[in-house]
Amino acid sequence: MLKNIFKIGNLKYVVAFLLPLVIILLYRRTLDNDTWFVLAEGRHILEKGIYYNDVLSMHDGLEIVVQQYGFAVIFWLIYSVFGSIGLYVMTILFNFLICFLVYKIAMLISEKNINMSLFVVVLTDVFLSFIFIVTRAQVLSYVFILLTMYLLELYVKKKEKKYLYPIPLVSLLQINIHASLWPMIILILGVYIVDSFKIPKLHLQGYKTRPLIITLIISALIAFINPYGVKMLTFIFTSYGVNEIFELVSEMAPFDLRSLYNILVYGAIVTVILAYIFGKKKNIRVRYLLLFFGFLALSLNSVKGFSELFLVMFIPMALLFKDFQIKSKKVILFSKAAIMWSFVIVFGAVGICGCLVLSRLSDAPSEVMKEAVDAIDDKIGDREKSNLRIYTGYNDGGYLEFRGYKPYLDPRAEVFIKKNNGKEDILQEWIDFEKRLIEKNDFIDKYDFDYLFVSRKSDPAYELDEKKYDKIYEDEEAEVRVYERLENK
């Protein structure tokens, strides 16, 4: 078996699938910040069941749609057995599934051009790996999106309805595991329906439309089988386009060219467009164009949309250049040597980066945050954690929830918007507090916090009246302070 792996023909698979992993291990050496509140969600659901009013923050009566409740449960189960390393390995395994599905789609539409298919795999996953392959529900959603595309391509290629039968099940899983990306399943089905009408002048390919329409209808109807009904289906529309979220969440910011990565992304987009312009017209498919320009429009509006664009952007290259083959003996010999050296370098890099990950991976965002929350633990004695009122900023609340506390705010931005929670705009209140539009004493007196967890000097709560609050923890370098209300003593 080992002899077969080390054959040149097999080594190129290893290189193609491991190369993006180097980027993941190098740039994602800690768990994603959302990990902590997702774990808290999963733990609560398994212990007490689905909830319809927020149970993680200190606020009462906030209506909620736990749009990734299924993933949260899976997440907690993995963590409870395998710890942080289990979550990290889970993400890597999902990434391999992403690579595998991209490869299968590319092989199908390129009529088994292996080299071109592996090239598409590397391009797709490298661009995804820099930002989007993280310990979050989106990695499983990418698998569902690609699986839907693969089943649709099989239907187009083989003209058999049986390949459409699993798609409603994918829709059901998607809505109950990560609802915010469920509309992508319906969108992709719609795009394939458009291309099913045979109009040669418009490059519409033409294949049986009725089975696709039936599949779309069933996929939409079956999605109502979820704990929150229609709110689950429309979650993305009530949470997208909110000014507070665009202002606060970096991945919701519009695309710009102020980083090397974004410049590379821009270059990749231009290259793909040129490939369409100069590629063989007979190999152009309207469904790919619609997906490309549709997701491109979302991406230019917010960086988060680039994840879906990367999933579909490079796949059509396998069709446009399916006839490309290396024939020069010199080039082939050079390619074999390049594959051998690439394997040695990539395999070594994975080993080194893997060791770095293991050395840093922990059950806390940082050692400082762990020590700071430990300081609160030491002070509360026999008091119930969930009864305490704790101030935190946007990025810190998730970890406090993981530790059993109920903070003022956490990274679930959509939960703290009035049009979602039906009660008040807490996120906007915090933004106004950060901007000094609300008096510090008025804000603190309103909530009568037992403890304040502050992680930035720019936070107005970084300096407090020593007559009311006692500083019980400080790390000047990390700019973290924890205050206790003196009445608690």
Side-chain angles (χ1 to χ4, degrees):
M1 184 176 178
L2 286 174
K3 289 181 179 180
N4 290 332
I5 291 175
F6 285 98
K7 287 181 179 179
I8 291 294
N10 294 328
L11 280 182
K12 61 187 178 184
Y13 288 95
V14 178
V15 172
F17 278 67
L18 286 187
L19 182 59
L21 180 57
V22 175
I23 298 171
I24 297 170
L25 294 171
L26 194 60
Y27 285 91
R28 298 281 174 256
R29 283 183 269 170
T30 57
L31 301 180
D32 186 83
N33 191 51
D34 286 4
T35 294
W36 312 109
F37 75 74
V38 176
L39 286 171
E41 287 176 339
R43 179 177 60 200
H44 188 279
I45 290 169
L46 281 171
E47 290 176 354
K48 300 181 181 179
I50 296 289
Y51 51 94
Y52 298 86
N53 287 294
D54 184 40
V55 297
L56 298 186
S57 74
M58 59 180 250
H59 307 283
D60 295 324
L62 301 186
E63 295 176 11
I64 190 172
V65 173
V66 188
Q67 58 94 16
Q68 56 182 356
Y69 83 92
F71 182 79
V73 169
I74 296 169
F75 215 52
W76 174 254
L77 288 173
I78 293 173
Y79 177 83
S80 62
V81 176
F82 301 104
S84 298
I85 189 65
L87 301 181
Y88 203 92
V89 171
M90 174 208 73
T91 303
I92 290 172
L93 291 176
F94 283 144
N95 187 63
F96 283 139
L97 270 177
I98 291 167
C99 291
F100 176 74
L101 286 168
V102 171
Y103 174 73
K104 294 293 288 185
I105 296 169
M107 283 287 283
L108 187 65
I109 67 177
S110 69
E111 298 179 358
K112 298 185 178 180
N113 186 326
I114 295 174
N115 291 331
M116 183 53 63
S117 298
L118 290 175
F119 180 65
V120 168
V121 168
V122 172
L123 281 177
T124 300
D125 207 36
V126 162
F127 276 92
L128 281 173
S129 297
F130 275 104
I131 297 178
F132 300 109
I133 304 300
V134 292
T135 50
R136 291 170 65 173
Q138 64 196 47
V139 291
L140 186 49
S141 291
Y142 301 157
V143 173
F144 290 146
I145 289 170
L146 289 169
L147 178 58
T148 302
M149 280 190 66
Y150 180 52
L151 292 168
L152 289 168
E153 287 296 334
L154 282 170
Y155 168 73
V156 173
K157 183 80 171 179
K158 299 182 182 294
K159 299 179 175 58
E160 294 182 31
K161 291 186 289 185
K162 67 179 182 180
Y163 295 110
L164 299 178
Y165 297 160
I167 293 178
L169 176 60
V170 174
S171 174
L172 181 64
L173 290 172
Q174 181 68 63
I175 196 68
N176 285 283
I177 287 177
H178 190 203
S180 65
L181 286 185
W182 173 80
M184 300 305 166
I185 304 295
I186 302 302
L187 175 65
I188 291 169
L189 275 165
V191 165
Y192 275 78
I193 289 173
V194 170
D195 202 24
S196 69
F197 297 97
K198 191 172 182 62
I199 307 177
K201 289 185 179 180
L202 296 178
H203 292 282
L204 294 174
Q205 184 174 352
Y207 37 87
K208 288 185 179 180
T209 305
R210 187 178 177 183
L212 288 170
I213 294 175
I214 293 172
T215 301
L216 186 147
I217 292 171
I218 296 173
S219 297
L221 291 176
I222 202 170
F224 282 91
I225 304 175
N226 72 76
Y228 299 95
V230 69
K231 287 184 178 181
M232 201 76 149
L233 279 66
T234 59
F235 173 84
I236 186 64
F237 304 108
T238 59
S239 303
Y240 185 80
V242 178
N243 289 332
E244 294 93 330
I245 295 179
F246 276 113
E247 183 178 344
L248 187 63
V249 183
S250 59
E251 65 183 20
M252 298 301 292
F255 177 71
D256 59 54
L257 293 175
R258 289 182 292 178
S259 72
L260 177 59
Y261 175 73
N262 284 1
I263 292 172
L264 291 173
V265 169
Y266 177 77
I269 292 170
V270 171
T271 301
V272 171
I273 292 174
L274 291 175
Y276 273 115
I277 294 172
F278 296 105
K280 291 183 179 180
K281 298 296 185 287
K282 68 175 184 177
N283 289 336
I284 291 177
R285 298 287 180 267
V286 169
R287 59 183 179 272
Y288 303 143
L289 286 171
L290 290 174
L291 288 173
F292 174 77
F293 285 106
F295 287 132
L296 178 60
L298 288 176
S299 303
L300 295 178
N301 191 45
S302 94
V303 172
K304 188 174 183 179
F306 274 106
S307 59
E308 288 81 39
L309 178 64
F310 293 153
L311 285 176
V312 304
M313 185 167 78
F314 300 107
I315 288 175
M317 305 287 281
L319 177 60
L320 290 170
F321 300 101
K322 67 177 184 178
D323 299 323
F324 177 78
Q325 298 287 347
I326 298 173
K327 296 180 180 180
S328 170
K329 290 184 179 180
K330 290 183 179 180
V331 174
I332 291 172
L333 288 172
F334 175 78
S335 298
K336 288 182 177 180
I339 291 170
M340 284 294 295
W341 280 108
S342 297
F343 170 76
V344 172
I345 294 170
V346 169
F347 197 79
V350 167
I352 294 170
C353 294
C355 292
L356 291 174
V357 169
L358 289 173
S359 67
R360 293 189 58 178
L361 208 58
S362 68
D363 293 331
S366 68
E367 189 60 31
V368 171
M369 284 196 71
K370 183 180 183 301
E371 290 176 357
V373 180
D374 286 345
I376 301 176
D377 284 351
D378 292 339
K379 288 287 185 177
I380 65 172
D382 296 330
R383 284 178 292 171
E384 176 61 39
K385 289 183 177 182
S386 60
N387 292 334
L388 299 173
R389 303 171 71 81
I390 300 183
Y391 168 78
T392 60
Y394 175 78
N395 283 315
D396 305 322
Y399 181 63
L400 271 292
E401 289 164 347
F402 170 72
R403 294 285 294 268
Y405 295 98
K406 291 191 174 184
Y408 167 76
L409 193 66
D410 64 52
R412 302 172 300 160
E414 69 282 351
V415 175
F416 302 98
I417 298 169
K418 186 175 182 178
K419 75 173 184 178
N420 281 339
N421 64 44
K423 188 175 181 182
E424 56 185 315
D425 280 316
I426 298 164
L427 184 63
Q428 185 60 58
E429 178 187 52
W430 180 74
I431 292 172
D432 290 343
F433 176 62
E434 284 272 293
K435 293 180 177 179
R436 273 70 174 178
L437 299 177
I438 298 176
E439 286 292 329
K440 177 167 59 177
N441 291 335
D442 292 342
F443 175 79
I444 292 175
D445 290 343
K446 174 184 176 180
Y447 290 105
D448 197 24
F449 295 110
D450 295 292
Y451 293 89
L452 292 95
F453 184 104
V454 191
S455 62
R456 291 174 297 113
K457 281 186 178 179
S458 59
D459 191 316
Y462 196 77
E463 297 285 350
L464 291 183
D465 186 348
E466 294 181 0
K467 295 180 180 179
K468 294 182 178 180
Y469 287 91
D470 181 32
K471 185 166 49 180
I472 62 173
Y473 178 86
E474 179 177 23
D475 188 300
E476 292 187 5
E477 184 177 350
E479 298 184 4
V480 172
R481 286 181 177 179
V482 178
Y483 290 94
E484 180 186 31
R485 183 156 50 90
L486 286 173
E487 294 175 14
N488 287 340
K489 292 193 169 184

